[in-house]
Amino acid sequence: MITVDADAPAWAHDLARRVETEVRDYVHQPAFVPVYTVSNMPDVEKFRHRWVYVSDESGGAVPAFSDGTEWRRCTDRAVVS
């Protein structure tokens, strides 16, 4: 809970309420994992340590992560193909 000094101006109390509401709503949202096909995967270096969902991986749809060099399937760490 965000606390604001009782003597703070009204705008500070309003801001604290709005931030608290935004954070509460954000925390209760499900995680978003972007979906890509093998042919349109994002840059592996720019997405280092990020997760994606590969909809047309050769063994079936699968979550994958970037190790900075390759996109790897989460199931067996094999390179996405």
Side-chain angles (χ1 to χ4, degrees):
M1 177 173 190
I2 299 174
T3 58
V4 179
D5 189 278
D7 296 331
W11 65 264
H13 290 275
D14 182 54
L15 177 62
R17 278 190 300 276
R18 287 188 294 157
V19 168
E20 191 168 297
T21 298
E22 289 291 322
V23 169
R24 184 189 64 239
D25 292 349
Y26 181 79
V27 168
H28 291 98
Q29 293 294 318
F32 171 76
V33 179
V35 178
Y36 293 93
T37 61
V38 173
S39 64
N40 77 346
M41 298 287 285
D43 184 297
V44 70
E45 292 177 7
K46 290 181 182 175
F47 272 62
R48 184 181 179 120
H49 303 296
R50 302 276 179 97
W51 292 72
V52 297
Y53 187 78
V54 186
S55 62
D56 66 344
E57 168 61 7
S58 58
V62 66
F65 67 94
S66 166
D67 65 6
T69 304
E70 301 284 351
W71 283 104
R72 298 191 175 274
R73 297 188 304 236
C74 294
T75 52
D76 59 6
R77 297 183 54 90
V79 174
V80 169
S81 58

